[in-house]
Amino acid sequence: MKEKILSINGEFFCKNLTGIERVAIDALAELDKLLPPGRAELVLPANAQNVPQYANIKCVRLPVKAAFFPKWTQIHYQKYVLWNRRVSLDFSNTCPFFSPGIEFLHDIYARLYSTDFKSRRDKLIRLYSKIMYWRIAKKAKRIVAVSEFTKKTIVDAYKIKPERIAVIYDGLGSYKNIPADYSVFDRLPQLKDREFYFTLGSLSTRKNLKWISANAAAFPKAFFAVSGKALPSVVPPELEEMKKLSNVLMTGYLSDGEVKALLSKAKAFVFPTYFEGFGLPPLEALSCGAPIVISNRTSLPEIYGKTARYIDPDNPNVDLEALLKEKVEPPENLLKDLTAENSAKKLARVIMEVLDE
């Protein structure tokens, strides 16, 4: 019998580098060391950028660009997978509808919080996301969830067998090699060493910007630096209220090096999000030496255990100065465990199980 071959959807090489894209790129670098030659290939759009050379993973570049990603996945990538009888692997909550294979579901946010999607564009994203969740849950050969919390939400929502889902935590890989860019403090002289709290992420509803705004208003001696790109689902009055506060600095977009510099000098990293499938930013913060103050909801207590101080995302009346006096466990064991290398070893076992079925 002819050996099955894995085809990895390389759309993430065409997207802005956020958490999912970084996890995918790091996982691929590690999988290249683990998978046998000839058993995996990376299917790339014509406009894929900065693709590394791989030893064991073959790169196949199709003569079409990925700009509208549903079209890339559902037409061009899917046609390739079906025509060549491949097993698909998608890292980003999507799958080829008629040939789902090994599929990551980081969360099912669009199903659980439909009302957060307000604009016409957001409602289309919600619809497509819900279709993808359902198809992956019902038909994927194997589902990869990034936390036990995410696994449980999938099982409960779609009434599927838990054994179809492998839990593989995200891990840090190339992030640790990015040099800190301390020139950011010349551009933002308001930020003094260990005198500010830092938060970052897309400025979307789920990241709970209103907690920062309310806490800053209640504790005027606390100073916050807030980084991130506004999305259509942000409630505009929240951003406007933030801009009125003298103890909040909206930094705008920051490079990875600038973020690392701020994390290394922040009093703490504050993450009041009300929904995370995994929650990578606190792990990045810990790797930079920043204490973390994070939400007590969804996956975060599972992932960070006793290394974090916790807040209720619905209660901004918290004295962060006092909270930081609470003792927590050092993060060394967590950082040693949650690596891209360890995640890739678990993913490689799932891949070979499916390919050898």
Side-chain angles (χ1 to χ4, degrees):
M1 182 182 292
K2 190 176 180 180
E3 288 186 329
K4 295 177 185 175
I5 296 174
L6 182 78
S7 283
I8 302 164
N9 187 347
E11 65 174 0
F12 48 86
F13 281 106
C14 303
K15 294 184 175 182
N16 293 329
L17 197 63
T18 63
I20 288 177
E21 288 74 36
R22 195 191 306 280
V23 165
I25 290 168
D26 288 344
L28 209 56
E30 296 298 331
L31 284 175
D32 188 50
K33 305 170 189 175
L34 300 169
L35 296 178
R39 299 305 301 274
E41 60 191 13
L42 175 64
V43 181
L44 295 159
N47 57 326
Q49 301 289 322
N50 303 315
V51 181
Q53 293 289 324
Y54 297 106
N56 294 318
I57 297 176
K58 177 185 176 182
C59 289
V60 178
R61 192 177 288 262
L62 302 186
V64 289
K65 293 183 179 181
F68 183 60
F69 292 102
K71 181 179 179 181
W72 159 258
T73 296
Q74 301 308 327
I75 297 178
H76 306 298
Y77 172 66
Q78 178 158 241
K79 181 180 177 182
Y80 180 89
V81 169
L82 288 169
W83 183 260
N84 293 283
R85 299 180 181 274
R86 300 301 198 232
V87 175
S88 66
L89 169 62
D90 295 79
F91 281 97
S92 56
N93 289 3
T94 61
C95 72
F97 187 87
F98 295 106
S99 54
I102 302 168
E103 311 297 349
F104 271 74
L105 268 183
H106 297 264
D107 57 55
I108 53 170
Y109 178 68
R111 172 178 171 132
L112 299 177
Y113 292 92
S114 293
T115 57
D116 283 356
F117 295 77
K118 301 181 187 304
S119 69
R120 182 175 179 275
R121 175 181 177 273
D122 281 354
K123 288 176 181 178
L124 290 173
I125 291 172
R126 179 191 67 195
L127 176 62
Y128 180 69
S129 297
K130 290 173 72 174
I131 292 170
M132 290 292 96
Y133 301 161
W134 171 80
R135 191 63 177 174
I136 290 169
K138 296 298 184 180
K139 295 296 183 180
K141 297 180 185 298
R142 201 78 89 252
I143 301 164
V144 179
V146 293
S147 64
E148 292 291 345
F149 165 79
T150 293
K151 177 177 178 176
K152 185 177 186 305
T153 62
I154 297 167
V155 170
D156 291 348
Y158 298 102
K159 312 303 179 189
I160 64 173
K161 295 179 179 179
E163 53 266 30
R164 291 185 54 226
I165 305 177
V167 174
I168 302 176
Y169 288 164
D170 291 339
L172 282 182
S174 57
Y175 186 82
K176 62 180 178 290
N177 300 323
I178 298 170
D181 181 1
Y182 293 102
S183 68
V184 68
F185 291 103
D186 296 328
R187 183 163 63 83
L188 304 173
Q190 307 95 315
L191 303 181
K192 308 298 182 184
D193 192 359
R194 305 298 173 186
E195 293 183 9
F196 65 96
Y197 300 104
F198 182 50
T199 189
L200 81 160
S202 61
L203 302 181
S204 60
T205 305
R206 68 192 284 185
K207 299 303 181 184
N208 199 11
L209 198 65
K210 63 183 179 182
W211 192 100
I212 299 292
S213 179
N215 186 267
F219 296 90
K221 290 185 179 180
F223 195 87
F224 291 87
V226 179
S227 169
K229 181 181 179 181
L231 297 175
S233 57
V234 171
V235 180
E238 294 177 3
L239 284 175
E240 293 306 313
E241 288 300 314
M242 293 278 279
K243 293 173 184 177
K244 296 175 186 176
L245 296 170
S246 61
N247 58 334
V248 175
L249 175 65
M250 304 295 293
T251 68
Y253 170 79
L254 295 174
S255 69
D256 287 335
E258 291 173 326
V259 167
K260 291 191 76 169
L262 265 59
L263 286 171
S264 71
K265 298 292 186 181
K267 187 180 293 187
F269 174 71
V270 184
F271 199 57
T273 176
Y274 67 81
F275 186 91
E276 293 294 324
F278 178 86
L280 192 61
L283 188 64
E284 295 172 344
L286 288 174
S287 75
C288 297
I292 59 174
V293 176
I294 62 178
S295 168
N296 61 6
R297 300 282 177 85
T298 62
S299 66
L300 295 175
E302 172 193 339
I303 305 300
Y304 294 100
K306 296 180 180 180
T307 64
R309 283 99 173 171
Y310 292 96
I311 53 176
D312 181 343
D314 292 326
N315 176 23
N317 190 28
V318 177
D319 185 341
L320 293 176
E321 194 77 37
L323 184 62
L324 286 173
K325 293 177 182 177
E326 293 182 2
K327 296 293 184 182
V328 293
E329 290 183 356
E332 282 75 18
N333 289 336
L334 187 72
L335 292 169
K336 189 183 298 183
D337 184 46
L338 297 182
T339 66
E341 181 181 11
N342 288 341
S343 298
K345 287 177 181 176
K346 295 174 184 176
L347 180 57
R349 286 196 289 270
V350 172
I351 290 169
M352 294 312 299
E353 285 173 7
V354 173
L355 294 183
D356 293 338
E357 286 177 348

